[in-house]
Amino acid sequence: MHVDMDAFFASIEQRDHPEWKGKPVIVGGLARRGVVATASYEARRFGVHSAMPMAAAREHCPQGIFTTPRFDVYIAVSHEIREIMSHYASVVEPISIDEAFMDISGMGSHYHTLGAIGRAIKSEIKEKTELTASAGIAPNKFLAKMASEMRKPDGLFIIPYGKEKEILAPLAVRRLWGVGKVTEKKLIQSGVKTIGDLQRMGPSKLSALLGPNTGQLLYRLSLGIDHDPVVAEREAKSIGAESTFEKDLTSWDDIDRELVLYSDIVAQRLRKQNKQARTISLKVRFSSFQTFTRAVSLPEGTNLEEDIYTAAKDLFQKIPKAKGEGIRLIGITGSRLTTPAWMPSLFDQTREKQAKVTKVMDDMQKKFGPLALRKGIWLTETHRHQPGSEDKAKESEKRKED
Ligand code: TTP
Ligand code: MG
């Protein structure tokens, strides 16, 4: 089962401001260059949607009610929902602030029908939070998420075994996981508009068009096949990277380059685990082995290297330096981890852009390997590192190849 709250931030605002019920409510950054986090379904009718610049939202819907997010409230509701979900499944896999997968296999003995489980969780959420959720129930995660979207808002949709192919057939290809704008365009140019067209095209033609990996994957998804298990969240407390250098660093340029590098590695690891850090700490060990750690709390969680680097650089200034001593080790760690549900910043299109660039880089590296796309800084690094320092060894290898 996949459960996703309806117009989450906006519905909470409508609940807490009853006079806003039934009206177009838009939540997001209201400063210049702010963006929309989400819009109530009333506002969506005017074409307002998540990630739209706020200025455009005001043009589409001048009569809207515009308000800034209250994250503390949303996070509290998110916890309440997780608690409710745990009543319906032993394994809950949260994937964002307002949605989660639940493994409900074996729950049949408690409920007469699948629909009854869906209705039960929806009504407990409604009763306890005064908010509506949409639920999808299906033989696997991919289909369950698809199903929860199909009757939004306040929806419940079941894709039973054996009906996968038939239910998917009329839907647009872009609904499949992994079909972005580029793939969609290629498919449409080849006359493939619906998932049904994909099913008919077959795996070999699709592989010829999109490459064997994507081709096979999309073909399987078009048939509704997905074996990804529901896994309970394992909470990492912190994510970091550090290394001892072969030669102590003395020049600011070298130190700065390491700060950039480690900010980049930590940011990537955070993103891989879909986490943001609210605390960044920097560890520095001098040639004398004297070691200092300094930490800073950020107003918002981040997984962008620019933010982590800025924090690390500020922290570096706070570390007392002895004259003439080189630096033996640098480490950067992100802690107080949260699971982001939205683009890294709601308030600032510059950061929104950084986030998009980062996503493109991550996607390219996922698809073509870590060397596909790198920052210039990775090419200029000259010093070598001690073996045995695992991260660093790997990274310097990559740079050699670069
Ligand atoms: P979603 O579940 O994607 O959207 P939603 O709950 O507002 O609406 P829907 O009924 O379609 O599910 O995201 C959950 C919350 O995450 C959303 O209320 C606000 C936030 N968010 C952002 O801040 N920025 C974004 O770009 C998106 C997509 C969501
Ligand atoms: Mg939602």
Side-chain angles (χ1 to χ4, degrees):
M1 176 157 64
H2 178 257
V3 170
D4 184 298
M5 303 298 291
D6 303 316
F8 189 50
F9 296 1
S11 306
I12 294 177
E13 296 307 330
Q14 287 178 321
R15 175 193 76 176
D16 296 349
H17 303 87
E19 68 280 15
W20 293 354
K21 280 197 180 134
K23 300 211 166 125
V25 173
I26 294 135
V27 184
L30 299 186
R32 222 167 58 84
R33 299 162 65 79
V35 292
V36 175
T38 194
S40 69
Y41 278 77
E42 294 83 359
R44 293 182 195 193
R45 272 181 228 125
F46 294 89
V48 180
H49 59 78
S50 293
M52 175 183 256
M54 195 53 89
R58 287 188 195 275
E59 265 170 37
H60 279 83
C61 186
Q63 67 273 55
I65 297 160
F66 294 84
T67 185
T68 48
R70 294 178 300 146
F71 291 113
D72 48 341
V73 179
Y74 309 152
I75 289 167
V77 177
S78 180
H79 289 154
E80 244 180 299
I81 295 161
R82 299 251 167 103
E83 167 67 26
I84 296 169
M85 287 170 171
S86 71
H87 304 165
Y88 295 84
S90 50
V91 187
V92 177
E93 180 180 341
I95 51 170
S96 84
I97 194 167
D98 82 328
E99 62 181 309
F101 288 110
M102 275 152 275
D103 186 349
I104 56 167
S105 337
M107 292 292 284
S109 52
H110 301 286
Y111 296 89
H112 287 301
T113 61
L114 286 173
I117 306 180
R119 282 189 295 277
I121 190 164
K122 276 165 55 76
S123 65
E124 189 177 342
I125 291 174
K126 185 79 199 272
E127 207 172 284
K128 293 193 170 150
T129 67
E130 297 173 47
L131 299 168
T132 61
S134 295
I137 300 176
N140 59 50
K141 279 162 75 169
F142 156 65
L143 291 169
K145 187 162 161 77
M146 202 94 153
S148 78
E149 285 163 12
M150 287 174 83
R151 294 289 182 273
K152 247 179 183 305
D154 201 9
L156 172 61
F157 192 72
I158 299 169
I159 302 182
Y161 281 112
K163 293 275 185 206
E164 301 91 332
K165 227 178 127 177
E166 185 183 319
I167 291 173
L168 290 174
L171 304 177
V173 282
R174 97 180 77 85
R175 301 285 298 272
L176 291 180
W177 282 354
V179 177
K181 284 195 183 126
V182 178
T183 310
E184 186 188 11
K185 204 170 153 201
K186 266 195 204 163
L187 287 169
I188 288 177
Q189 278 167 353
S190 316
V192 178
K193 289 198 183 111
T194 64
I195 297 176
D197 295 336
L198 267 182
Q199 295 166 349
R200 280 184 292 277
M201 195 170 181
S204 36
K205 270 197 189 157
L206 266 175
S207 298
L209 185 67
L210 304 170
N213 292 343
T214 312
Q216 295 285 349
L217 177 74
L218 289 190
Y219 182 65
R220 279 202 304 277
L221 288 180
S222 78
L223 300 178
I225 300 169
D226 162 42
H227 298 299
D228 198 20
V230 179
V231 275
E233 191 175 42
R234 256 188 315 124
E235 280 295 340
K237 289 256 185 287
S238 69
I239 290 176
E242 66 171 47
S243 149
T244 302
F245 309 113
E246 188 166 289
K247 202 162 137 262
D248 292 352
L249 310 182
T250 48
S251 82
W252 166 248
D253 279 355
D254 285 348
I255 296 164
D256 190 38
R257 196 175 297 123
E258 295 305 326
L259 294 177
V260 172
L261 180 62
Y262 279 93
S263 305
D264 204 358
I265 295 173
V266 171
Q268 274 192 26
R269 289 190 181 165
L270 285 164
R271 290 196 299 271
K272 238 183 215 162
Q273 301 197 24
N274 191 27
K275 293 285 177 200
Q276 290 183 336
R278 294 197 60 192
T279 298
I280 302 297
S281 44
L282 174 74
K283 178 159 109 181
V284 173
R285 178 168 296 147
F286 290 94
S287 11
S288 62
F289 274 84
Q290 198 174 20
T291 306
F292 294 95
T293 303
R294 293 287 180 273
V296 62
S297 286
L298 306 175
E300 272 185 82
T302 187
N303 51 24
L304 295 180
E305 43 264 43
E306 289 86 352
D307 295 336
I308 297 174
Y309 168 67
T310 307
K313 207 160 119 178
D314 289 347
L315 290 169
F316 187 80
Q317 303 310 325
K318 296 200 175 128
I319 289 179
K321 286 148 208 108
K323 262 215 166 109
E325 266 204 66
I327 291 176
R328 212 183 132 71
L329 172 149
I330 287 181
I332 296 179
T333 301
S335 56
R336 286 212 295 151
L337 303 182
T338 54
T339 306
W342 49 87
M343 300 282 270
S345 178
L346 300 167
F347 303 104
D348 176 352
Q349 285 175 45
T350 314
R351 290 193 63 210
E352 189 92 357
K353 267 191 196 143
Q354 284 171 356
K356 281 184 186 152
V357 169
T358 304
K359 173 141 192 344
V360 170
M361 289 198 47
D362 285 350
D363 287 350
M364 289 212 39
Q365 290 179 353
K366 208 187 274 169
K367 206 158 170 185
F368 303 111
L371 303 179
L373 191 60
R374 300 248 72 147
K375 290 192 175 146
I377 192 113
W378 292 70
L379 302 176
T380 56
E381 209 272 341
T382 48
H383 54 266
R384 289 280 166 262
H385 304 281
Q386 274 181 10
S389 153
E390 192 203 293
D391 288 328
K392 202 61 200 197
K394 265 193 239 144
E395 296 306 336
S396 76
E397 241 177 59
K398 277 180 206 155
R399 274 173 284 163
K400 247 187 272 168
E401 290 174 44
D402 278 349

